[in-house]
């Protein structure tokens, strides 16, 4: 009973047809409208409210003195209470283990015993309060500057002077500006009370007006800044009687230009002397000031002008005019008024949905103009493609994602101060309406529909989303209404789009209900974007369409480089750049952009220029800059010029030499040492140094010494014994002398001390251990007659010789830092001079214990960006928020960069370390998407990996030829052949075309071969008018945007001898003697019949065909079951001899009973594999049961079937609907083994080109014609000239419930198929849809057979050909009883009765 399985298979096929007819008769008209989308979520979902979170008190700038205590106030409000932390100079303070700095309960910072010295300014700096609420966010306060008054130092001291009675007197005492509040005056060692006649200027100078005899005496100024008071020299003031003769009028103190802040007070000094006694008046901008009637202006002692509560109107030029009746003198000064930043408009809280665009508005004012920066949850917002600063101060966030939620702060800062204001962003779920009308911070493109949602059906996905217009910077999308709402007059639509590889999605809404097109603007050229569309009705947003992948066009018609670019210096701070109009402007040049960059930096700046030259001012002196110019036309920026470099002119040095030190050699000489000014301030080549020195008691007698060249020390000889001298040094360039250092004092020895021997042992040594430091103090040797030039301190664990530090001979204490806790250190102290070191003094100490907390993780790098440089190189850059603002790395941290590609999915990461904020990744694959992330490591602390950045390397020319090249003759046209091939394995980019070379001489030069170009990524081509019975050789070469790849190996093909025969290596398909043309009434691509047959006639025809089929099946079944075994073997041998000697790879055990229940909604086309075998036949290889075991059902028995499968599988995911069948413009045939298979498995088939003798096929086989199904719209965009026998898509069969639906074939057409044109589309650049299987499937059901609709990518497979079915019958070892056949026949009779009832009704 070997034939019984085959008979059962035929019966099942017949059952499938009858069931389809039953469904056709019972279809309900409204069945297609059952899909209404998922119901919306409850409209009453809770809406989160904004949480009050702000600072009650913020720290302010504070002046302190050394050794005192300071409180920086800070208090924040929130529910729950926030956690307060402090930053100093951008770095968080660890207050847990700090015994000097502690956090008060209200959040304020208390600093006890402020530390400040020349080399250790530990507490001075910028402080910022940081408040954090878990699960809510972080806000930061304004920054406050803590200034510690330095050590008292007199710039000038009072000098003996005299004044006539009634005149004014000046006693100078200039100190550091921060010490002025601590200056007081004494007369004859008694404090002076200040009044209207005696005042102290802002510099500390004392002014006495209307001098009387009681003002005579000794004056001195005293500075009290926490330490012991420091007094200046005493100076005597003598009051002279009136000589009753005139004396010249002169200024004792003239006003100087000042800068003050609004609200402060200022004193413009102006003191004149002469006989007769002068009077002083003031003018501003040529207007006399009335100091008597003004409340804010007052004339102080000596004629100085005081202004209180300064306003912006007080700025200007002030003139001090002194007049004594005989003569008049005047002086002037400029008063500049600055203003702290103030908010004109603060950011407002915002509700928004994901994918929206929002703008935080922030308007500020101030003088100088404030700069604005934005902070999110305490972290700086780095501008990018999605975070932009617009209108100078506003923050725009594009394409919101959930992680954008939090607190955003606008921080405005200028030279005077800084302020901050914040707002909260809450991102609601899409089913929660924004509770109020859209604020102005929502952009027009993302204003959402705010009507509250009601419960009801949601719309299904919009259909046929296409890019009807593609340009360089915009894309126009069109679509059709959802199937659930064919009219769609009340529907609105949202278009979501994002760059490929970017998770952040943006949205564009239609402008009115019913509109089915949107133009998306402001896109980047030559960039791939992913689009999807959703429809909204009054109940909410419905299903999303399948993603559509579109690439914008590259920029075209751009200007060329500007020729003859030149740069020359015009001053030490300016450079002029000139150029000419580009030769290829491609239209009118709108403007130019001049880029310039300082050499040695990577920060390029630019400026817009409308002319052909520009002068850049404000550059650094004697610094090399590079310049380049880019021309702009209406299309955008053109080609950049080459860089030109030029150096600004030199100038006098901008800073004094550094590290000035004095060494007293003996009683008559002092050695001076110094270092050059900082490189950035040298402003040219240093040609020498100028040394000035003087006796401290005679400041007017200054001696100068010139040192040429690069010498950094000088011995000054010929000095007086036991005398204090002041020294200062200034640097020289060819332009002149720069600023000098501060005066530094040294006193020569009273006598020449002994330096013929080493110093004696220091008289005492004391140590005070701390946790990580030890304070060492000592006293000098008792013998003061031996020169001591310094002290050497040695220390180490167990031995004092591990480290040695040398200090100045004047120093009496030192703090040894960076020690280990709980460790025993031995310390030694030795005095030394030029002879050597003296006897050491030893001491030991144990540092205090300290528990080191576990290192907290560092913050990961931010702003990771990938810049593609070439086909195998990408530069990765990032920023580190744990670094200072200037992003300079001063410690031993390093960064680890890792990268990988997602194809294949199990690719491992590669890593590399970097010590800068960028890294160059090389050795990558061309045209491949990589993802990158960065982490930072510092000591034992490491951060987590940063957010990933993605980059796709540039394309490269193909490095492998097209593969699987096959040549077959076209059926019925012996002079026409069809060349098929597969894309190169290493395409290295998008294939834009192929070139076919063919010749009759394989050894001919390649330029003698005939060339056939193929445009696009088609994989088949016809060549006509060839010579019969002639061998031809074919080669194929692929090309992409970068160029041509290598050629394939030559493939030989001989054309047929006559028009009725096939070419060598191929056979025409045997149609059999009973072949008839297809019947009329073929379906159009839309599924509607093209002939006007009545539906009742159609049913009669179908019923007739079914009855005939059943009769034939019954006859064959009875005939096959009664044959003898020997007769079966003879017939089987005869059939095998006729059909060829091929044997199946599978054995009879592999044939499983068929499953006829095929879910039509899960069919989807895939490209097929072409077999190069000249005599292919179908194999009976069973369909695998999982996706890893999928094997293409090929027509070849060759063992290389696995190689072809593997080489082609790499292309399965790329545009499966256009690779083969879609690009050939034909209706493909399909052969599908009806074996049940799990979801997402593919069955591939290729048409058999075997030519069977007619007698053979009549003897043991029956012809069966493949019915054709509805055709995908993908096919319509392809060529119409090739017939349907050359391409077969693969159907993905995903079975569901067996009674859910059937795939119904359309009636075969009478002739070659015709196709409707594709949907209206005028793309300027080709684009392709994404290969998302689930969303891309369009279904063909019985309900769609009777009405016109767009083409759908479904091809209903035909049954296996009879000769193949016979082989299955013969090879199957399964047995079926006659009772089963009887039951099956009874089942068919029941189906026939149902069918008769339908037709009768």
């Amino acid at each position: 009973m070997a034939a019984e399985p085959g008979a059962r298979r035929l019966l099942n096929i017949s059952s499938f047809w009858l069931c389809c007819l039953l469904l056709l008769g019972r279809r309900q008209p409204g069945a297609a409208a059952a899909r209404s989308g998922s119901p919306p979520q409850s409209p009453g979902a809770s809406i989160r409210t904004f949480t009050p979170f702000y600072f009650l008190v913020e720290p302010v700038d504070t002046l302190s003195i050394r050794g005192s205590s300071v409180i920086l106030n800070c208090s924040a409000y929130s529910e729950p209470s926030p956690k307060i932390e402090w930053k100093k100079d951008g770095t968080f303070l660890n207050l847990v283990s700090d015994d000097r700095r502690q956090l008060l309960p209200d959040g304020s910072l208390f600093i006890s015993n402020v530390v400040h010295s020349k080399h250790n300014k530990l507490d001075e700096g910028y402080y910022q309060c940081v408040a954090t609420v878990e699960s809510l966010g972080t806000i930061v306060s304004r920054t406050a500057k803590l200034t510690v008054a330095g050590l008292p130092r007199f710039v000038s001291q009072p000098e003996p002077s005299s004044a006539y009675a009634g005149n004014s007197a000046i006693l100078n005492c200039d100190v550091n500006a921060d010490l002025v509040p601590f200056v007081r005056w004494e007369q004859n060692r008694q404090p002076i009370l200040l009044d209207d006649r005696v005042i102290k200027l802002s510099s500390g100078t004392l002014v006495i007006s209307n001098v009387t005899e009681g003002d005579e005496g000794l004056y001195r100024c005293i500075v009290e800044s926490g330490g012991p008071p420091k007094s200046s020299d005493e100076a005597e003031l003598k009051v002279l009687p009136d000589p009753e003769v005139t004396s010249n009028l002169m200024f004792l103190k003239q006003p100087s230009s000042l800068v003050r802040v609004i609200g402060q007070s200022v004193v413009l000094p102006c003191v004149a002397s002469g006989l007769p006694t002068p009077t002083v008046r003031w003018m501003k901008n040529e207007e006399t000031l009335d100091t008597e009637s003004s409340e804010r202006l007052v004339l102080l002692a000596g004629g100085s002008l005081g202004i209180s509560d300064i306003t912006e109107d007080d700025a200007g030029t002030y003139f001090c005019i002194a007049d004594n009746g005989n003569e008049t003198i005047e002086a002037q000064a400029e008063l500049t008024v600055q203003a702290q930043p103030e908010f004109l408009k603060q950011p407002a809280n915002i509700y928004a949905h994901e994918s929206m665009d929002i703008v935080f508005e922030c308007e500020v004012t101030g003088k100088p103009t404030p700069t604005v920066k934005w902070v999110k949850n305490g972290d700086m917002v780095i501008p990018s493609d999605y975070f932009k600063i617009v209108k100078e101060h506003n923050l725009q966030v594009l394409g919101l994602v959930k992680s954008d939620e939090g607190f955003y702060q606008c921080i405005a800062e200028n030279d005077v101060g800084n302020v901050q204001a914040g707002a909260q962003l809450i991102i609601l779920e899409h089913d929660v309406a924004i509770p109020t009308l859209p604020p102005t911070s929502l952009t027009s493109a993302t204003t959402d529909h705010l009507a509250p949602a009601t419960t009801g059906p949601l719309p299904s996905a919009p259909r046929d989303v296409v890019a009807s217009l593609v340009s360089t910077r915009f894309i126009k999308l069109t679509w059709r209404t959802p199937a659930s709402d064919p009219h769609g007059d009340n529907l609105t639509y949202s278009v979501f789009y994002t760059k490929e590889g970017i998770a952040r999605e943006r949205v564009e809404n239609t402008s009115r209900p019913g509109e089915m097109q949107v133009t998306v603007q402001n896109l980047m050229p030559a960039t791939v974007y992913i689009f999807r569309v959703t429809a909204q009705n009054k109940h909410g947003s419905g299903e999303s369409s399948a993603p559509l992948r579109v690439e914008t066009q590259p920029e075209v018609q751009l200007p060329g480089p500007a020729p003859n670019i030149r740069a020359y210096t015009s001053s030490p701070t300016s450079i002029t750049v000139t150029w000419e109009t580009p030769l290829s402007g491609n239209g009118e040049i709108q403007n130019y952009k001049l880029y310039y960059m300082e050499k040695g930096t990577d920060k390029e700046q630019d400026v817009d220029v409308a002319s052909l030259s520009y002068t850049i001012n404000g550059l650094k002196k004697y610094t090399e800059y590079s310049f380049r110019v880019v021309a702009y036309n209406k299309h955008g920026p053109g080609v950049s010029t080459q860089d030109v470099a030029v150096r600004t002119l030199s100038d006098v040095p901008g800073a004094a030499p550094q590290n000035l030190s004095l060494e007293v050699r003996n009683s008559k000489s002092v050695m001076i040492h110094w270092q050059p000014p900082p490189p950035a301030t040298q402003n040219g080549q240093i040609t020498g140094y100028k040394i000035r020195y003087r006796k401290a008691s005679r400041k007017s007698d200054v001696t100068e010494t010139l040192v040429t060249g690069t010498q950094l020390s000088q011995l000054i000889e010929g000095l007086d014994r036991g005398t204090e001298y002041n020294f200062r040094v200034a640097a020289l360039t060819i332009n002149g002398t720069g600023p000098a250092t501060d005066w530094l004092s040294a006193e020569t020895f009273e006598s020449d001390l002994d330096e013929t021997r080493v110093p004696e042992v220091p008289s005492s040594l004391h140590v005070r251990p701390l946790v990580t430091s030890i304070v060492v103090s000592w006293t000098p040797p008792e013998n003061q007659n031996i020169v001591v030039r310094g002290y050497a301190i040695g220390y180490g664990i167990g031995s004092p010789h591990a480290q040695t530090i040398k200090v100045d001979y004047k120093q009496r204490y030192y703090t040894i830092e960076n020690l280990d806790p709980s460790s025993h250190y031995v310390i030694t102290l030795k005095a030394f001079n030029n002879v050597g070191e003296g006897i050491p003094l030893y001491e030991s100490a144990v540092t205090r214990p300290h528990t080191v907390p576990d290192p907290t993780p560092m913050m990961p790098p931010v702003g990771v960006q990938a810049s593609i440089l070439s086909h195998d190189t990408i530069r990765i850059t990032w920023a580190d928020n744990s670094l200072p603002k200037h992003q300079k790395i001063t410690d031993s941290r390093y960064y680890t960069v890792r990268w990988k590609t997602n194809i294949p999915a199990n690719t491992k990461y590669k890593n590399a370390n970097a010590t800068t904020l960028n890294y160059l990744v090389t050795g990558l694959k061309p045209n491949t998407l990589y993802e990158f992330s960065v982490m930072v490591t510092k000591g034992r602390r490491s951060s987590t990996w940063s957010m990933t950045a993605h980059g796709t390397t540039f394309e490269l020319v193909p490095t492998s030829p097209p593969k699987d090249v096959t040549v077959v003759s076209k059926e019925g046209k012996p002079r026409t052949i069809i060349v098929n091939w597969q894309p190169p394995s290493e395409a290295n980019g998008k294939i834009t075309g192929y070139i076919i070379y063919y010749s009759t001489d394989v050894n001919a030069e390649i330029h003698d071969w005939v060339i056939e170009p193929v445009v696009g990524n088609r994989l088949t081509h016809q060549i006509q008018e060839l010579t019969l019975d002639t061998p031809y050789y074919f080669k194929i070469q692929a090309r992409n945007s970068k160029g041509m790849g290598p050629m394939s190996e030559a493939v030989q093909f001989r054309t047929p001898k006559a028009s009725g025969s096939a070419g060598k290596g191929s056979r025409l398909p045997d149609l059999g003697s009973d072949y008839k043309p297809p019947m009329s009434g073929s379906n159009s691509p839309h599924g509607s019949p093209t002939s006007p047959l009545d539906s009742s006639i159609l049913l009669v025809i179908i019923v007739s065909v079914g009855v005939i089929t059943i009769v034939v099946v019954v006859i064959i079944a009875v005939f096959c079951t009664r044959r003898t075994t020997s007769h079966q073997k003879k017939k089987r041998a005869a059939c095998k001899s006729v059909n060829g000697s091929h044997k199946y790879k599978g054995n009879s055990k592999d044939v499983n009973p068929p499953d006829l229940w095929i879910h039509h909604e899960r069919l989807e086309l895939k490209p097929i594999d072409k077999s190069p075998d000249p005599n292919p036949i179908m194999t009976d290889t069973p369909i695998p049961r999982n996706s890893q075991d999928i094997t293409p059902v090929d027509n070849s028995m060759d063992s290389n079937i696995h190689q072809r499968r593997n080489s082609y599988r790499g292309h399965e995911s790329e545009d499966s609907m256009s690779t083969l069948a879609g690009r050939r413009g034909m209706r493909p045939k399909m052969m599908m083994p009806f074996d049940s298979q799990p979801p997402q498995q593919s069955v591939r088939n290729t048409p058999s080109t075997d030519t069977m003798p007619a007698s053979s096929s009549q003897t043991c086989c029956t012809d069966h014609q493949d019915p054709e199904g509805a055709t995908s719209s993908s096919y319509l965009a392809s060529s119409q000239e090739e017939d349907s026998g050359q391409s077969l898509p693969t159907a993905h069969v995903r079975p569901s419930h067996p009674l859910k639906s059937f795939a119904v074939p359309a009636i075969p057409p009478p002739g070659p198929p015709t196709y409707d044109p594709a949907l209206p589309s005028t793309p300027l650049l080709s684009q392709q849809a994404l290969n998302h299987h689930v969303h891309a499937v369009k279904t063909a059901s019985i309900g769609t057979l009777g009405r016109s609709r767009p083409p759908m990518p479904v091809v209903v497979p035909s049954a296996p050909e009879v000769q193949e079915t016979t082989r299955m019958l013969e090879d199957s070892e399964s047995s079926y009883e006659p009772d089963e056949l009887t039951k099956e026949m009874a089942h068919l009779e029941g189906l026939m009765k149902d069918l008769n009832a339908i037709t009768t009704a």
Side-chain angles (χ1 to χ4, degrees), residues 32 48 155 493 611 629 641 668 676 949 1043 1179 1188 1214 1250 1263 1284 1288 1302:
R48 289 180 294 151
V155 179
Y493 298 87
S611 59
V629 175
T641 63
K668 293 187 177 181
T1179 68
Q1188 285 76 12
E1214 297 181 11
D1250 289 356
D1263 283 353
S1284 61
L1288 280 173
F1302 294 90

Side-chain angles (χ1 to χ4, degrees), residues 960-1034:
S960 67
K963 60 184 181 181
D964 296 343
V965 181
T966 60
V967 183
V968 297
S969 62
K970 185 169 183 179
E971 182 178 331
K973 295 182 179 180
R975 300 184 63 185
T976 300
I977 62 97
I978 299 174
V979 184
N980 302 310
W981 64 90
Q982 292 299 324
S985 300
E986 299 173 357
N988 297 339
K990 180 180 178 182
I991 298 299
T992 59
Y994 297 85
I995 293 181
I996 302 175
Y997 299 82
Y998 65 94
S999 171
T1000 57
D1001 183 6
V1002 71
N1003 297 321
E1005 294 292 333
I1006 195 63
H1007 56 75
D1008 293 330
W1009 291 48
V1010 181
I1011 295 177
E1012 282 278 340
V1014 180
V1015 180
N1017 50 6
R1018 294 172 50 200
L1019 299 177
T1020 184
H1021 187 70
Q1022 289 188 9
I1023 300 178
Q1024 303 174 353
E1025 301 302 321
L1026 299 181
T1027 306
L1028 294 176
D1029 195 21
T1030 304
Y1032 284 84
Y1033 299 88
F1034 297 84

Side-chain angles (χ1 to χ4, degrees), residues 158-187:
E159 296 179 352
S161 60
S162 60
Y164 291 104
N167 263 335
S168 298
I170 292 288
L171 293 169
N172 291 320
C173 182
D174 293 343
V175 295
N176 303 341
D178 50 5
L179 289 175
V180 172
F182 308 105
V183 172
R184 63 180 179 85
W185 282 87
E186 289 183 352
Q187 178 188 6

Side-chain angles (χ1 to χ4, degrees), residues 851-872:
T851 303
V852 179
D854 293 333
T856 56
M858 301 184 68
M859 297 175 60
V862 297
V864 181
Q865 295 184 349
S867 303
I868 294 87
L869 303 182
S870 67
H871 68 275
D872 64 348

Side-chain angles (χ1 to χ4, degrees), residues 528-547:
V528 176
Y529 290 87
I530 311 299
F531 296 87
R532 62 183 182 90
V533 184
T534 62
Q536 294 97 23
N537 60 14
K538 62 181 179 180
H539 306 302
S541 179
E543 298 177 8
S544 172
S545 66

Side-chain angles (χ1 to χ4, degrees), residues 920-1122:
L920 204 65
V921 183
T922 59
L924 304 178
K925 296 180 181 179
N927 195 44
T928 303
L929 175 66
Y930 287 87
E931 67 176 39
F932 304 86
S933 53
V934 187
M935 67 180 290
V936 59
T937 302
K938 178 182 176 183
R940 295 190 300 142
R941 300 174 59 201
S942 296
S943 72
T944 58
W945 290 106
S946 69
M947 296 182 66
T948 58
H950 295 80
T952 302
T953 50
F954 291 152
E955 295 185 358
L956 186 66
V957 296
T959 53
S960 67
K963 60 184 181 181
D964 296 343
V965 181
T966 60
V967 183
V968 297
S969 62
K970 185 169 183 179
E971 182 178 331
K973 295 182 179 180
R975 300 184 63 185
T976 300
I977 62 97
I978 299 174
V979 184
N980 302 310
W981 64 90
Q982 292 299 324
S985 300
E986 299 173 357
N988 297 339
K990 180 180 178 182
I991 298 299
T992 59
Y994 297 85
I995 293 181
I996 302 175
Y997 299 82
Y998 65 94
S999 171
T1000 57
D1001 183 6
V1002 71
N1003 297 321
E1005 294 292 333
I1006 195 63
H1007 56 75
D1008 293 330
W1009 291 48
V1010 181
I1011 295 177
E1012 282 278 340
V1014 180
V1015 180
N1017 50 6
R1018 294 172 50 200
L1019 299 177
T1020 184
H1021 187 70
Q1022 289 188 9
I1023 300 178
Q1024 303 174 353
E1025 301 302 321
L1026 299 181
T1027 306
L1028 294 176
D1029 195 21
T1030 304
Y1032 284 84
Y1033 299 88
F1034 297 84
K1035 297 182 179 180
I1036 303 182
Q1037 188 178 24
R1039 73 169 181 269
N1040 58 17
S1041 61
K1042 294 298 182 181
M1044 307 296 298
M1047 292 185 185
S1048 66
E1049 294 293 331
V1051 174
Q1052 181 183 3
F1053 180 85
R1054 178 179 289 275
T1055 53
K1057 295 181 180 181
S1059 60
S1061 61
K1064 183 179 180 180
S1066 67
R1067 291 182 293 177
L1068 295 175
D1070 185 5
L1071 301 179
S1073 60
D1074 295 332
Y1075 172 75
K1076 296 179 181 180
M1079 65 173 59
S1080 60
S1082 63
N1083 281 8
S1084 69
H1086 293 282
S1088 62
T1090 58
S1091 67
L1093 287 177
D1094 186 77
S1095 61
S1096 62
I1097 299 177
L1098 176 62
L1099 286 175
V1100 171
I1101 295 174
I1102 295 175
V1103 169
S1104 302
V1105 173
V1107 172
I1108 294 171
T1109 304
I1110 293 172
V1111 174
V1112 173
V1113 169
V1114 172
I1115 293 172
I1116 294 175
V1118 173
F1119 176 75
C1120 292
T1121 54
R1122 295 185 178 183

Side-chain angles (χ1 to χ4, degrees), residues 512-523:
R512 62 182 181 274
E515 186 179 72
M516 289 183 292
Q517 65 178 25
V518 158
T519 300
V520 182
Q521 306 277 0
N522 301 321
L523 303 179

Side-chain angles (χ1 to χ4, degrees), residues 36 43 395 529 814 941 1267:
S36 60
L395 175 66
Y529 290 87
Y814 184 79
R941 300 174 59 201

